[in-house]
Amino acid sequence: MNDLRAWILILALVSFLAGGAAGFVIGRDGVAAPVVPGPFADYEARFSQTFELNDEQRGLFRDVLAHYQADIDAVRARQEARSASAMEPELRELGIRYRTLIRDRVLPDNKRPLFDALGEENTGILSEAP
């Protein structure tokens, strides 16, 4: 390990880890994290006040709203997945276009075979993924 870069890398890593540990210890003793209201917090408060809900009813109402939010999130996730699959052909075409630009316009002729080989290797890895 006589390489100066290796020693600099080790020093940077140790400094990073020490700073992270110190921040964790100091932050843990600080003020408790503020409670972030849910997306329906204002609605929940107003509904509870309007209908004079007791603590048990508020808890049930909060659970219903949490399930409602989870269902909304699930619908959004499904729609984003459909949208992503609809975009896939266009994204694939863009990827090919920019890969070609990089290969033909950025890289010198003697580096293109390496670029092609790495592309083949990564394509194999991607096709093997589940």
Side-chain angles (χ1 to χ4, degrees):
M1 272 219 166
N2 291 334
D3 188 18
L4 181 60
R5 289 181 188 164
W7 284 109
I8 292 172
L9 180 65
I10 290 171
L11 178 63
L13 181 62
V14 168
S15 298
F16 175 76
L17 292 175
F24 177 75
V25 170
I26 291 170
R28 189 175 58 175
D29 295 335
V31 180
V35 175
V36 177
F40 294 114
D42 292 339
Y43 177 66
E44 176 189 342
R46 190 155 193 180
F47 188 91
S48 297
Q49 181 183 16
T50 301
F51 292 100
E52 300 174 350
L53 301 181
N54 62 31
D55 289 341
E56 181 182 352
Q57 292 168 328
R58 280 181 190 228
L60 290 171
F61 186 58
R62 193 172 297 125
D63 289 345
V64 168
L65 291 177
H67 281 64
Y68 181 42
Q69 183 62 49
D71 287 344
I72 289 171
D73 293 342
V75 169
R76 282 191 180 134
R78 283 195 303 273
Q79 290 299 326
E80 288 173 3
R82 287 182 192 136
S83 176
S85 66
M87 290 186 298
E88 188 176 343
E90 186 175 353
L91 290 173
R92 181 178 292 123
E93 188 177 307
L94 279 173
I96 292 169
R97 187 171 95 205
Y98 280 96
R99 181 188 181 283
T100 303
L101 281 172
I102 291 168
R103 182 188 184 281
D104 296 342
R105 304 289 182 164
V106 175
L107 294 175
D109 291 340
N110 64 339
K111 298 293 182 180
R112 290 178 185 163
L114 175 61
F115 182 78
D116 293 338
L118 288 174
E120 289 292 324
E121 181 180 313
N122 290 333
T123 301
I125 291 171
L126 290 175
S127 65
E128 294 171 5

